[in-house]
Amino acid sequence: FKKRKGRKQLLKVGHGGTLDPLASGVLVLGIGSGTTKLQSYLEGDKHYVAVVELGLETTTLDSEGDVVKEASWGHIESIEATHEGIDDKTTVEGVLSKFRGKIDQVPPLFSAVRVDGKRLYEYAREKNDVHANENKNAKDAGDVITSDSASHEIVDIPVREVEVYEIKAGSTLEEDVVHSGIVDGRKYRDAVSSMKAAETETAADDDECTDRYDETGKKDGRKNDKRKHKDKEKGLFNEETVPKIEVDDVSLSLPRFALHVQCGGGTYIRSLVRDIGCELGTVATMTGLVRTKQGPFVLVDALRKEDWTADKIYEKAMKNNRENGFA
């Protein structure tokens, strides 16, 4: 605790790496002096479980974005490879060997990667018309073109080398992954579509006005606004209301599958999913993501939000320190 004269004591807290808005799983926190040691705590690989949906691609490469590409996936026969060790673009597993080891990757347009001092998502959000050339096979991939009526701006997204230690596809989600609160991308998109339709209907109602009259029956020049004023939402969902995959829905079938990834730092799972879709001759979007391991910290040992009390945080911190030799 840090004592400030005349004020409450402050507890210094830091975190080791962010997660995407719709992602769940392991997030390592440093408390007090632990904030200065976060980097050493996080050395090592990261493990993720993603849910992938073939046949569509969004602006953000996850369920938050608008669908910008659609393609047939009917030529893909199964998730598992039928001939081990042979490239087979009719199965998901058949193309994954190309994504093991050190690979070149173009980060998503909506990401925190800095280009010329600005985050990529800032380029994407400041203009209405944004295009990203994210062809993974091109070394000069990643031109971002932002434009308005007055100017055109071109920004190069740097191709980065990342390392994938292991990657495999499956048709089942583990129990701890589901319990972590993995988002159901399909239900999320349906819910967002319903909300947008309701907003459009409300906007149409907002345009309906009637004339107002004074006590003598003459028009007073003002309008009686029939609009229903509502407080602006801060967000569509919170972590309690966002649609999640249920325990009885752990089995996946095409066009959806589970992707298990063990990788080094700086790897974007959304980009990996996009590139796998390209290799399969279709398009793909990540519809759910759980980080199951970061450094020595694993999901099964993570402290759930409902247990974020001072006593339980301290108890868990001391336990992790002892088990990982940080005490």
Side-chain angles (χ1 to χ4, degrees):
F1 287 94
K2 185 177 180 181
K3 186 75 172 179
R4 296 196 302 173
K5 187 175 181 181
R7 298 184 183 183
K8 294 181 179 179
Q9 290 181 328
L10 295 180
L11 179 62
K12 189 176 181 181
V13 178
H15 65 82
T18 58
L19 284 167
D20 289 341
L22 294 182
S24 60
V26 176
L27 180 65
V28 181
L29 301 180
I31 302 172
S33 61
T35 57
T36 62
K37 302 175 183 177
L38 272 174
Q39 196 58 44
S40 62
Y41 292 171
L42 302 178
E43 291 177 355
D45 58 358
K46 300 178 182 180
H47 294 195
Y48 294 92
V49 176
V51 175
V52 180
E53 185 167 349
L54 300 173
L56 61 92
E57 184 177 309
T58 70
T59 51
T60 57
L61 303 181
D62 63 14
S63 295
E64 280 202 302
D66 297 324
V67 176
V68 290
K69 294 180 185 177
E70 293 183 284
S72 172
W73 55 271
H75 60 283
I76 302 168
E77 299 173 357
S78 67
I79 298 172
E80 292 79 15
T82 54
H83 300 90
E84 189 174 351
I86 299 176
D87 286 343
D88 179 6
K89 293 190 177 183
T90 64
T91 69
V92 177
E93 275 283 357
V95 303
L96 294 187
S97 61
K98 294 187 177 182
F99 298 94
R100 295 186 179 98
K102 293 181 179 179
I103 60 173
D104 287 340
Q105 185 179 81
V106 179
L109 177 58
F110 283 84
S111 66
V113 174
R114 286 189 181 274
V115 175
D116 296 333
K118 288 174 64 174
R119 305 284 189 184
L120 281 178
Y121 63 76
E122 294 178 302
Y123 285 107
R125 290 173 178 170
E126 68 185 8
K127 304 290 183 180
N128 291 323
D129 183 16
V130 180
H131 170 71
N133 177 10
E134 295 176 323
N135 181 353
K136 75 181 184 67
N137 296 316
K139 284 295 182 183
D140 58 349
D143 286 349
V144 180
I145 304 173
T146 62
S147 64
D148 56 20
S149 58
S151 64
H152 293 269
E153 185 179 4
I154 299 178
V155 181
D156 292 327
I157 302 179
V159 178
R160 309 195 307 177
E161 184 180 80
V162 299
E163 188 165 8
V164 177
Y165 305 118
E166 185 55 83
I167 182 170
K168 59 182 181 178
S171 57
T172 305
L173 294 173
E174 292 78 8
E175 185 176 337
D176 59 330
V177 169
V178 176
H179 285 161
S180 74
I182 187 169
V183 171
D184 188 318
R186 286 180 172 178
K187 291 180 181 178
Y188 181 90
R189 290 198 309 274
D190 290 344
V192 171
S193 296
S194 298
M195 288 180 178
K196 287 183 177 179
E199 287 175 2
T200 301
E201 187 176 337
T202 301
D205 292 341
D206 286 350
D207 293 333
E208 295 182 9
C209 299
T210 59
D211 293 315
R212 291 179 58 175
Y213 297 84
D214 61 19
E215 294 177 353
T216 65
K218 295 181 180 180
K219 290 183 181 181
D220 65 2
R222 293 179 294 168
K223 296 285 184 179
N224 180 30
D225 194 352
K226 289 184 178 180
R227 287 176 291 187
K228 296 179 180 179
H229 299 287
K230 295 183 179 180
D231 293 334
K232 205 168 187 179
E233 300 266 348
K234 290 184 177 179
L236 293 175
F237 301 101
N238 58 39
E239 60 189 83
E240 300 298 328
T241 61
V242 66
K244 303 180 183 71
I245 292 178
E246 303 294 337
V247 177
D248 57 357
D249 192 27
V250 297
S251 295
L252 304 175
S253 59
L254 292 175
R256 295 195 302 166
F257 61 90
L259 189 68
H260 301 258
V261 182
Q262 178 184 353
C263 60
T267 306
Y268 278 95
I269 307 302
R270 285 179 288 150
S271 292
L272 196 58
V273 167
R274 174 202 60 207
D275 296 345
I276 290 170
C278 179
E279 193 64 36
L280 285 167
T282 183
V283 291
T285 288
M286 185 189 79
T287 60
L289 181 68
V290 176
R291 184 158 60 199
T292 58
K293 182 177 182 291
Q294 185 174 14
F297 305 101
V298 294
L299 182 61
V300 292
D301 293 333
L303 193 64
R304 297 182 177 276
K305 187 177 180 181
E306 56 265 30
D307 295 326
W308 287 6
T309 64
D311 289 341
K312 290 188 176 181
I313 289 175
Y314 181 80
E315 180 183 343
K316 176 64 72 171
M318 293 300 100
K319 181 175 181 292
N320 283 340
N321 283 347
R322 288 193 300 271
E323 292 178 352
N324 292 292
F326 299 136

